[in-house]
Amino acid sequence: MTENRAIASIKNSNGMAKILIPTPLRQFVDGHDTVEVNSGTVGDALRELVAVHPQIERNLFNDQGKLRSFVNVYVDDEDIRYLDREGTALSAGSTISIVPSIAGGATPAPVIDVAEPALPELSNEEILRYSRHLILPEVGLEGQRRLKGARVLMVGTGGLGAPLGLYLAAAGIGRIGIVDFDVVDETNLQRQVIHGSKDVGRPKIESAAETMQDINPRLVIDKHPTALTSDNALEILAEYDVVVDGTDNFPTRYLVNDACVLLGKPNAYGSIFRFEGQATVFHHQGGPCYRCLYPEPPPPGLVPSCAEGGVLGILPAVIGSIQATEAVKIVLGKGDSLSGRLLLYDALNMRFRELRLRRNPDCPVCGDSPTVRELIDYQQFCGIPQQAAEDAAQERMPEISPSDLKSRLDRGDDVFVLDVREPHEFEIARIPGTTLIPLGTLPKHVHELDSTADIVVHCKSGVRSGKAQRLLKEMGFSRVTNLAGGILRWSDEVDPSIPKY
Ligand code: ZN
């Protein structure tokens, strides 16, 4: 097992402990996935990390020097959040895991009772179709009838929703609700295998329902072609026994969680980012909810979305299938669910790890004295208005259009064009004559730039270059302009031979 290899490597390192750095934070520690430390407590170890890699500090600690609440710290796979986490002692060879949230009850949730005693009968045709299930003692005729009587809600038909929809339909779930208002686009096809090339431009809900219905014509599908909101969530979720959360944004994550807790529904959760995934079951059999794990969302923009950070196309197949498995097990009432366990999957190193989760007695939703008793404004909770305000501030920063920049370059103006994307993006497409310094490394290389020069910053679409522009301005650069719309707009307006990605 890889675990054994990890332990062996610690023993060889003179009793040092190590900190595992998750993908979103590696950009702040020169790309390392592991940092070795010599400290005796968790607090000292994290301060040692910050001393060597100061850029990671604001991601781990707030202005008061306290560990941020959306960052969970584990020592040897044990959640130390409700202990004196900074004072937790490290022994030789301890492994500290930092697990930030990725864009992913006081009274025990009732055991799912699928419309008993009137479980639906199976026809001879269904008995043949599900024969490989029926001969499993853990499923059998009764289990298959439970699946037929079950009602499962899928929130989202994207990367996670694709395997979910396919396998839940095939497994014989009787009724599946789908919530989605998005349209299939070309960039979805690399991972959202429930949709095909012919579906580009169609509503995802139509395309997904068609595929699922083809797999299982007996399946009843409820289409909810809408965004899930605080106004409709309780009404929609109330109709189902199990909710499977396959969304891609924090406001909907918290909305689904709170609605599940308020209604007493289990939530099969999964999230993906680049090469890593997380899965668990929230609010089931007295286990924790999403807010127990992540009491508050990360500030907008801190954790990149899959659109910004990328995602391995096959990754959601694994995580979505785990969610589907958990949903089926909950309906069957068999096996050990992932409730109380966070499963972490690292596709790049092909490694599964498991961390224990506990219900937080002080959780505002599922704790002993809950303060959240109805759905709230989740956009506001996740700081989205704040993001809008930042964007508005960004609007006032100087911008240049691609065609204006092209004219200036053609005139021979002395303009320094700085590309702040990642090297692999630079390889896909670049504007000739530009200099590449990825945003994450900009603070380290800033002294190489002339602070009085006329600088135009660009990225893919203008968001990262806006951050770079603000950063440079804070560091005393006076003439920094953002290329509006990035290289995508440059391709549209100046040079269509540059590929868009
Ligand atoms: Zn909770």
Side-chain angles (χ1 to χ4, degrees):
M1 296 283 291
T2 48
E3 246 358 276
N4 295 336
R5 196 191 62 193
I7 290 164
S9 77
I10 292 163
K11 282 190 176 147
N12 290 338
S13 61
N14 301 325
M16 284 199 286
K18 65 177 185 177
I19 304 179
L20 303 183
I21 311 291
T23 315
L25 297 183
R26 282 179 201 160
Q27 57 178 307
F28 304 111
V29 295
D30 296 332
H32 296 301
D33 56 7
T34 308
V35 174
E36 299 205 327
V37 288
N38 285 305
S39 303
T41 64
V42 169
D44 288 346
L46 293 175
R47 275 182 280 276
E48 195 182 329
L49 172 69
V50 166
V52 182
H53 300 285
Q55 280 197 59
I56 201 172
E57 180 169 15
R58 70 179 189 98
N59 295 285
L60 296 184
F61 295 98
N62 63 18
D63 294 341
Q64 286 77 46
K66 289 254 175 262
L67 266 179
R68 291 184 182 272
S69 56
F70 58 85
V71 175
N72 286 335
V73 177
Y74 292 79
V75 174
D76 298 330
D77 301 349
E78 190 59 55
D79 186 353
I80 59 164
R81 201 147 27 106
Y82 307 119
L83 310 171
D84 170 20
R85 57 181 186 168
E86 291 202 31
T88 302
L90 297 175
S91 47
S94 290
T95 300
I96 301 173
S97 307
I98 300 173
V99 185
S101 46
I102 54 180
T107 47
V111 172
I112 299 307
D113 187 3
V114 192
E116 284 188 289
L119 280 179
E121 297 294 338
L122 300 184
S123 66
N124 285 352
E125 195 190 325
E126 286 172 299
I127 287 172
L128 181 62
R129 172 182 278 260
Y130 302 119
S131 61
R132 299 299 185 276
H133 266 170
L134 299 180
I135 56 179
L136 286 174
E138 292 78 4
V139 183
L141 196 60
E142 194 204 316
Q144 196 64 47
R145 289 172 65 199
R146 290 178 76 90
L147 293 172
K148 185 175 180 181
R151 303 161 301 172
V152 176
L153 182 70
M154 295 166 43
V155 186
T157 57
L160 295 169
L164 270 169
L166 299 177
Y167 280 110
L168 291 178
I173 297 289
R175 183 172 211 112
I176 298 178
I178 314 176
V179 186
D180 205 307
F181 63 99
D182 206 0
V183 170
V184 180
D185 87 46
E186 200 91 36
T187 66
N188 298 149
L189 301 178
Q190 160 257 22
R191 63 197 177 285
Q192 302 182 11
V193 295
I194 202 165
H195 315 295
S197 300
K198 67 174 180 7
D199 299 314
V200 170
R202 287 179 79 192
K204 287 186 178 177
I205 204 164
E206 295 299 332
S207 159
E210 191 179 283
T211 310
M212 290 160 67
Q213 206 75 77
D214 182 42
I215 290 171
N216 197 336
R218 291 174 176 273
L219 165 66
V220 177
I221 298 177
D222 306 325
K223 295 178 200 165
H224 304 282
T226 171
L228 202 65
T229 66
S230 301
D231 292 330
N232 64 20
L234 291 176
E235 199 181 323
I236 293 176
L237 266 65
E239 296 298 310
Y240 300 91
D241 307 307
V242 182
V243 177
V244 192
D245 180 0
T247 51
D248 59 358
N249 64 83
F250 290 111
T252 315
R253 292 279 189 207
Y254 284 96
L255 169 62
V256 170
N257 178 72
D258 292 2
C260 282
V261 175
L262 293 174
L263 293 167
K265 312 272 182 192
N267 172 8
Y269 165 92
S271 69
I272 48 173
F273 181 70
R274 291 191 174 166
F275 290 92
E276 289 177 18
Q278 304 180 351
T280 186
V281 174
F282 288 123
H283 195 57
H284 182 49
Q285 296 172 329
C289 80
Y290 184 59
R291 287 213 202 207
C292 296
L293 178 60
Y294 298 118
E296 60 185 58
L302 186 66
V303 179
S305 67
C306 286
E308 291 167 354
V311 60
L312 181 71
I314 314 156
L315 177 65
V318 175
I319 300 297
S321 302
I322 290 171
Q323 291 176 274
T325 308
E326 291 303 290
V328 164
K329 280 163 55 191
I330 290 169
V331 171
L332 293 174
K334 298 288 184 195
D336 280 336
S337 88
L338 270 178
S339 173
R341 295 181 289 150
L342 181 67
L343 189 65
L344 303 179
Y345 171 54
D346 173 354
L348 202 53
N349 298 304
M350 199 42 80
R351 195 169 167 210
F352 282 93
R353 298 178 61 221
E354 196 180 297
L355 303 173
R356 260 167 265 172
L357 300 180
R358 294 199 179 89
R359 189 178 71 87
N360 176 6
D362 298 323
C363 174
V365 190
C366 78
D368 296 339
S369 319
T371 52
V372 176
R373 293 170 180 279
E374 55 186 26
L375 299 178
I376 59 170
D377 181 340
Y378 293 89
Q379 299 288 326
Q380 193 181 25
F381 178 66
C382 293
I384 307 297
Q386 183 194 332
Q387 178 69 35
E390 273 178 28
D391 289 348
Q394 179 60 27
E395 290 297 310
R396 290 192 294 274
M397 300 284 278
E399 281 190 341
I400 185 167
S401 71
S403 46
D404 287 349
L405 176 61
K406 177 76 166 64
S407 316
R408 292 198 58 192
L409 292 171
D410 289 348
R411 276 204 308 268
D413 281 6
D414 191 13
V415 186
F416 181 82
V417 184
L418 174 65
D419 182 346
V420 295
R421 297 173 303 150
E422 299 298 317
H424 56 270
E425 298 179 84
F426 192 73
E427 231 169 77
I428 300 169
R430 71 186 77 165
I431 299 174
T434 56
T435 302
L436 178 71
I437 303 180
L439 180 61
T441 65
L442 188 56
K444 240 173 34 188
H445 293 281
V446 78
H447 63 276
E448 296 162 22
L449 302 172
D450 176 0
S451 64
T452 61
D454 192 351
I455 299 177
V456 173
V457 208
H458 94 81
C459 63
K460 183 179 175 187
S461 68
V463 177
R464 278 172 290 172
S465 52
K467 288 181 189 166
Q469 186 184 23
R470 265 173 289 177
L471 190 82
L472 290 171
K473 195 163 169 262
E474 281 167 24
M475 291 178 150
F477 285 72
S478 50
R479 297 161 68 202
V480 187
T481 312
N482 190 7
L483 179 64
I487 197 169
L488 293 180
R489 200 171 138 192
W490 179 276
S491 170
D492 283 336
E493 294 180 9
V494 175
D495 182 2
S497 75
I498 290 183
K500 296 205 279 185
Y501 60 98

